[in-house]
Amino acid sequence: SRDLPWPTDLPASARERLERTLAPLPEHRRTTFALRVSRWWADLVDGLSPYPDPPAVAARVLELAAAAYLEREDDLHLLDERRSLEPDWFQRPGVVGYAAYAERFAPEGTLAGVARHADHLRQLGVTYLHLMPLLQPRPAPNDGGYAVADYRRVREDLGTMADLRALTRALREQGISLCLDLVLNHVAREHEWAQAARAGDEHYRRYFHVYPDRTVPDAYEATLPEVFPDFAPGSFTLDEELDGWVWTTFNSYQWDLAWENPDVFCEIADVILFLANQGVEVLRLDAIAFIWKRMGTACQNEPEVHQLTQALRAVSRITAPSLVFLAEAIVGPNELVHYLGQGRHHGKVSDLAYHNSLMVQIWSMLASRDSRLAERALSRFPQVPSTSAWITYLRCHDDIGWAIDDDDARSVMVDGWAHRKFLSDYYSGEFEGSTAEGLVFQHNPATGDRRISGSAASLVGLGGALRRLDAAVDEEGFEEAAQAVDVAVARLLLGYAVVYGWGGIPVIWSGDEIAQLNDEHWDEVPEHDGDNRWAHRPRLDWDCVEEARSDPGSAVGRVWAGMQHLARVRASLPHLHASWPAETVAAPDPGVFVVLRRHPVGPMLQLYNVTEQPRTVPAWWVREQGINLDGAVDALNGFPPNLTDDGSVYLSTYQPVWLVRR
């Protein structure tokens, strides 16, 4: 066979080892691997620069990559080829996401059950499924599954690794990509690495940050914020078996990995390739911001985080280029964009990141009926690489923390602290006139911080409206309650319209598609008691799903149909390809939120009435944004927009309008 096209600066010894590993493969497969190494070698070595000898670590990692490539199944090699030709697959308007706990989505409570109910996802237009942590955790408490005891096993109640492979294959057949969580910052105290460290193995002891006394931990904690001050104060835990203080950012049973040790990097790289070989197409890199420690800092968002992510991405591109990375980094805008690549890492780190600010600002607008703060806050995001995409969402598995920047608030004549208090009051139902039924999560009396738990339907007030409808005793009461239901449904669908219209991958949190309310029995599971976030993580109500499908006039039926409609319309609009940015525009009326997307086929102007009252947008102002109303259509209904006598665009209660050229 001809010589393989290795990079010229790959050491001869490494090349020989790789060729021995790849020898069983046909020539075209070996050539492909060598070409990928040539393409990504420089990025790999550059990303490993935090280590003393980057080329040596890179050569070691390539051996892991070659071994994983040898084991990769034919259908996954085909997927790699397809994705290499369609690198923007996750940016396309037809991509819609869904997130759920496997055991709470499938009535069978297993991975096989998820596969059997994939048709539910396809009816919603879903092509991306994020299943919450399902790798083997420690026994409860385990931080909702994020305290992983074995990266290579599936939770026994869900099935086996073979079941996971079968699930990814079944989903691919329906055009759905599976996303799984990979916790980067820590492992459970019960993980085999931690067990070996506790048993006195010095090799594995160096996998963790262990100190003989409090001297170094105290120096670090002078600048470390506490993640869970109520549940797990401090960042270090004394472990008697370890005979030392171990770094535990989140909980005492979650030991932070020492990423300055290249052995840790190689271990995690091997885990990534193993999961890719199970057919996983997206890895959510959990707690990525925390992996590098530096004295005198908050030990978050350090430059080495992005260098090592670049190296991990290069390894995955060599073995499994169909795999993409999602950074779980809930940080400020100026820090967040680095997880999608800025400067020397432009387009070389994670492909996806969460747009937490968009979620917060949607709920802020729905409470205040004012778009000015959202327009200001969302306009400040720096540009991200055109090869990346945001994950957008109205709700997720977590609580809502009111990440309102004080400077943003001041710029629109709002007091940041007061606004955060208002939002907590409003969504916990304490504010006069609020219909929201959220739950306060982790109230901090010292700062006044109160996060909120609750399903989307409960936060928009649908539960109370439905109870009023059931209790109505006369025609007047029935009409008022029915109107309240209509308003709540409109608020919910407006929120999702913003999410679908922003670009990137909009993700539905399980149950929102049928307007599922808070689980009143959330605390009856012993390990959930005390964590009211389980109120908005209910088991999917399949009876309600049937009602939604069979009764389009009911509240759940209208939400179900509305979500399907948003997906269909979205898929038809090239304007919503993630490579084109969303721009917020200050509207003439603060009750209207405006998003502008500029695209070669023409602009797309999104208008969202965030109030109960009708609103109008002047025709002259719409023309200034590049839309001529004489030739415009509202893509959401296929008709020209409703106009007032003076030619202004008319928006009814909580109405979204997506204006494009006819």
Side-chain angles (χ1 to χ4, degrees), residues 17-304:
R17 288 193 297 271
L18 292 175
E19 291 185 353
R20 282 198 300 270
T21 300
L22 298 171
L25 294 175
E27 183 178 350
H28 74 278
R29 285 267 166 85
R30 288 183 280 125
T31 300
T32 296
F33 185 86
L35 285 170
R36 290 180 190 163
V37 172
S38 293
R39 167 64 181 86
W40 298 106
W41 171 254
D43 281 359
L44 175 59
V45 173
D46 179 58
L48 293 169
S49 59
Y51 301 126
D53 190 354
V57 180
R60 181 179 166 191
V61 171
L62 283 184
E63 292 186 49
L64 300 173
Y69 185 79
L70 182 67
E71 298 297 323
R72 196 155 172 82
E73 296 179 355
D74 286 345
D75 62 330
L76 296 178
H77 281 298
L78 179 61
L79 179 67
D80 292 333
E81 296 295 331
R82 181 180 296 118
R83 292 286 164 76
S84 295
L85 294 171
E86 301 174 343
D88 69 333
W89 67 270
F90 60 89
Q91 297 180 293
R92 296 178 177 182
V95 178
V96 172
Y98 189 94
Y101 288 90
E103 71 275 20
R104 292 182 163 249
F105 171 77
E108 301 89 342
T110 62
L111 297 181
V114 173
R116 282 193 286 272
H117 290 85
D119 62 318
H120 174 77
L121 304 174
R122 290 303 302 151
Q123 290 178 37
L124 286 166
V126 168
T127 61
Y128 162 105
L129 173 62
H130 176 199
L131 292 180
M132 301 301 290
L134 53 77
L135 301 180
Q136 183 61 48
R138 74 187 296 273
N142 52 42
D143 191 24
Y146 288 102
V148 177
D150 193 337
Y151 287 118
R152 299 173 189 268
R153 285 174 53 214
V154 169
R155 278 171 35 199
E156 293 179 358
D157 60 309
L158 295 177
T160 65
M161 196 55 71
D163 292 326
L164 179 62
R165 286 196 298 273
L167 172 61
T168 60
R169 192 175 299 114
L171 291 175
R172 274 199 310 280
E173 289 173 356
Q174 299 211 42
I176 301 174
S177 301
L178 183 66
C179 171
L180 286 192
D181 291 88
L182 176 64
V183 184
L184 294 185
N185 180 67
H186 48 263
V187 296
R189 184 179 183 273
E190 289 73 16
H191 193 282
E192 63 178 353
W193 304 337
Q195 290 186 46
R198 296 204 316 272
D201 189 320
E202 284 300 320
H203 173 77
Y204 286 105
R205 190 180 178 93
R206 289 192 294 271
Y207 277 35
F208 305 97
H209 303 271
V210 184
Y211 304 98
D213 55 42
R214 285 290 312 187
T215 304
V216 174
D218 285 345
Y220 272 112
E221 286 198 330
T223 56
L224 285 180
E226 291 183 309
V227 176
F228 295 135
D230 295 338
F231 297 162
S235 297
F236 295 86
T237 298
L238 178 62
D239 190 280
E240 293 184 1
E241 289 183 77
L242 197 60
D243 190 26
W245 291 85
V246 62
W247 201 313
T248 55
T249 294
F250 291 88
N251 288 287
S252 61
Y253 51 78
Q254 291 166 298
W255 289 12
D256 287 30
L257 292 167
W259 278 80
E260 68 268 22
N261 180 350
D263 291 345
V264 169
F265 179 91
C266 292
E267 293 273 19
I268 297 299
D270 200 36
V271 167
I272 286 173
L273 300 179
F274 171 79
L275 293 174
N277 276 358
Q278 312 313 307
V280 176
E281 297 181 42
V282 183
L283 280 177
R284 177 183 180 271
L285 306 180
D286 185 74
I288 186 174
F290 297 84
I291 66 173
W292 196 265
K293 320 300 187 185
R294 176 168 282 113
M295 185 72 76
T297 73
C299 295
Q300 297 183 43
N301 309 311
E302 291 299 303
E304 289 82 357

Side-chain angles (χ1 to χ4, degrees), residues 299-342:
C299 295
Q300 297 183 43
N301 309 311
E302 291 299 303
E304 289 82 357
V305 171
H306 310 300
Q307 291 174 265
L308 295 178
T309 306
Q310 175 181 305
L312 290 173
R313 184 176 184 268
V315 175
S316 72
R317 288 294 192 269
I318 290 169
T319 300
S322 56
L323 181 71
V324 299
F325 286 169
L326 162 60
E328 188 272 328
I330 309 302
V331 295
N334 291 328
E335 292 291 347
L336 181 57
V337 293
H338 288 281
Y339 290 87
L340 292 175
Q342 297 286 297

Side-chain angles (χ1 to χ4, degrees), residues 362 366 394 490-500:
I362 292 172
L366 290 175
L394 187 62
R491 284 162 66 87
L492 180 56
L493 290 176
L494 178 84
Y496 266 105
V498 177
V499 168
Y500 276 58

Side-chain angles (χ1 to χ4, degrees), residues 443-456:
H443 178 208
N444 186 332
T447 63
D449 181 52
R450 286 174 296 158
R451 308 182 206 177
I452 294 293
S453 300
S455 73

Side-chain angles (χ1 to χ4, degrees), residues 15 35 64 95 97-98 114 118 142 156 258 279 346 351 375 390 405 419 453 509 529-530 535 550 590:
R15 183 166 60 245
L35 285 170
L64 300 173
V95 178
Y98 189 94
V114 173
N142 52 42
E156 293 179 358
H346 184 87
D351 308 278
E375 185 276 322
W390 293 113
D405 182 81
H419 190 64
S453 300
W509 179 253
D529 186 23
S550 61

